[in-house]
Amino acid sequence: MKPIRLGVNVDHVATLRNARGGTHPDPLAAARLALANGADSITIHLREDRRHIRDADCRVMREALSAPINLEMAATAEMEAFAIALRPHACCLVPEHRAELTTEGGLDAAGQLEALAPVVASLNAAGIRVSLFLDPDLHQLEAAARLGARAVELHTGTFCEAVPDEARDRELARLQAAARKVDALGMECHAGHGLDYETAPLLAAIPEVVELNIGHFLMGQALFEGLPTAVSRMRSVMEAARS
Ligand code: PXP
């Protein structure tokens, strides 16, 4: 089986920092700790309202870290220009609504082919690996391939929120079928949203899934067991599921 990567999302370190308007806790310090304890890459979401990560955080991390940075962003002209100037390793295009608490649902790639095509093309041309954050719907995955995306990140929110019964089994089966389809279409399959120690291994066991991006649960766990332990524990449960 291909190895699996862990991307750690440090947005919520910035949420906590911003609550007091100072510099502590520092998202860069959290990123360094995550990388030292089993993360392969760092994910940051620059939202239109800058509620957590800010422009300067992106620049500081790009400068200071040699590990890959995955910049999540809406497919707007402002974000496209920002990403091209920043040149992160990867960009994950997500839908964004101002009032939402977190990213709700995947991008409608099939319904927005015309609007997304130039953004994907210019990020590709800048050498940035583009992934699209999609629900596990086959027609959305086909749209991602038509757009020239290098990867799809499957939205695992519905699966993670389903109570562990038939609904969860059904959602897991949808994710497994979607991962096979993404691979068959020649793109990398990533997954994320709402993953924890119980659900991440179920995704890590899908052979076509090669990257998980996890934030909120790890930052919450960091309060109780510390960030190094939370990240290394997540890494171990993923590796155990993979083998
Ligand atoms: N992947 C994407 C595209 C996201 O938008 C998010 C949430 O910011 C995540 C992964 C991480 O989700 P969580 O914070 O629930 O682990």
Side-chain angles (χ1 to χ4, degrees), residues 141-164:
L141 310 179
E142 279 158 6
R146 280 178 61 191
L147 284 164
R150 296 278 298 273
V152 164
E153 179 158 327
L154 294 174
H155 193 314
T156 52
T158 309
F159 163 66
C160 292
E161 280 159 24
V163 276

Side-chain angles (χ1 to χ4, degrees), residues 9 11-12 45 72 92 94 102-103 133 153 191-195 213-217:
N9 179 317
D11 290 350
H12 294 301
H45 185 174
E72 290 177 6
C92 181
V94 300
T102 181
T103 313
F133 189 44
E153 179 158 327
H193 204 95
L195 294 171
N213 285 302
I214 309 178
H216 188 262
F217 175 78

Side-chain angles (χ1 to χ4, degrees), residues 26 29 34 42 45 54 63 66-67 79 82 105 115 128 145 155 164 184 207 217 231 236:
D26 177 12
I42 296 300
H45 185 174
R54 296 172 177 153
E63 183 79 13
S66 53
M79 289 299 162
F82 184 85
I128 300 167
H155 193 314
F217 175 78
V231 173
S236 320

Side-chain angles (χ1 to χ4, degrees), residues 193-209:
H193 204 95
L195 294 171
D196 59 18
Y197 294 144
E198 195 192 328
T199 49
L202 299 172
L203 269 295
I206 303 175
E208 294 84 6
V209 172

Side-chain angles (χ1 to χ4, degrees), residues 59-75:
R59 293 192 191 101
V60 164
M61 286 202 216
R62 180 74 180 86
E63 183 79 13
L65 301 177
S66 53
I69 290 179
N70 173 33
L71 177 68
E72 290 177 6
M73 59 181 222

